[in-house]
Amino acid sequence: MGLDEKDLNTLEITNSIHRKTLLNLAKTQFHNNLSVVFKSHREIGGVVVYETLSKWKFSSSFQVLEFADFMKLHRNLLIYERRPKGKRRSVERGSVCIPPLPQNKFSKVWNQRTIDAKNKQMEELQIYLNQIIKSVDDNEHNDELLLLLLRFFMLI
């Protein structure tokens, strides 16, 4: 299965960049839907950060995000949701379900930064993202919302 040099010769693909790209794509897995998985968390300079792995189509992205990044995403999602239907919005108001953002448990209280608390925060953020992604998957007309998420997770 897959492509090899002989297949590329048969298809008469001679450009070396095209050949290399096609051979690399043949090795990667295809993910039809957007998926985001939290891999771990750690503390850097007093800030709790989350390592995420995102996949969509043939793209994947590994990012280290802090809670402020999720606040920015949530703010952009709310702006998207409240924008009236018109030229720039193809989805009816209310058809997108933006769940509430989990609270940042570590903003002021330093002594609560236990491993269990960090794991719980990471689980809550995973549930939050899963709900948003499900909302995108359930409505095929959410192209703008999907684009917003793909840009946030650096998949396009």
Side-chain angles (χ1 to χ4, degrees):
M1 286 300 236
L3 288 175
D4 58 23
E5 294 290 337
K6 183 180 174 187
D7 296 326
L8 296 177
N9 290 337
T10 303
L11 294 169
E12 297 180 3
I13 298 171
T14 57
N15 185 311
S16 62
I17 294 173
H18 294 167
R19 291 174 74 90
K20 185 176 180 179
T21 301
L22 287 170
L23 289 172
N24 286 336
L25 283 175
K27 295 176 190 174
T28 61
Q29 290 183 335
F30 179 80
H31 300 275
N32 196 33
N33 296 330
L34 172 63
S35 71
V36 179
V37 177
F38 284 79
K39 291 296 190 181
S40 66
H41 57 74
R42 56 189 156 123
E43 228 174 298
I44 300 176
V47 177
V48 178
V49 295
Y50 306 94
E51 297 175 352
T52 63
L53 177 62
S54 311
K55 296 179 180 179
W56 182 73
K57 303 288 185 196
F58 289 108
S59 300
S60 64
S61 170
F62 181 81
Q63 290 178 282
V64 177
L65 301 168
E66 59 183 276
F67 193 83
D69 296 318
F70 293 102
M71 290 173 58
K72 182 179 178 182
L73 171 65
H74 187 71
R75 191 170 40 253
N76 288 337
L77 291 169
L78 291 177
I79 290 169
Y80 169 83
E81 181 185 45
R82 293 182 180 139
R83 191 171 54 190
K85 186 177 179 186
K87 282 190 217 175
R88 299 194 48 150
R89 179 152 181 219
S90 60
V91 181
E92 303 258 346
R93 182 180 295 240
S95 66
V96 178
C97 179
I98 307 299
L101 181 67
Q103 289 186 337
N104 184 1
K105 295 176 173 58
F106 309 119
S107 61
K108 302 215 172 54
V109 185
W110 285 80
N111 61 353
Q112 290 185 356
R113 292 183 181 204
T114 64
I115 297 294
D116 290 339
K118 292 175 190 174
N119 285 337
K120 183 158 176 47
Q121 179 84 43
M122 194 167 70
E123 286 175 26
E124 290 172 356
L125 287 169
Q126 182 72 65
I127 291 168
Y128 168 76
L129 288 175
N130 288 346
Q131 290 173 336
I132 294 168
I133 291 169
K134 184 177 181 329
S135 180
V136 171
D137 290 344
D138 288 349
N139 189 334
E140 61 189 42
H141 301 292
N142 278 339
D143 294 341
E144 294 172 39
L145 180 59
L146 177 61
L147 206 59
L148 190 149
L149 291 171
L150 293 176
R151 285 185 182 138
F152 178 78
F153 290 108
M154 296 183 184
L155 292 166
I156 56 169

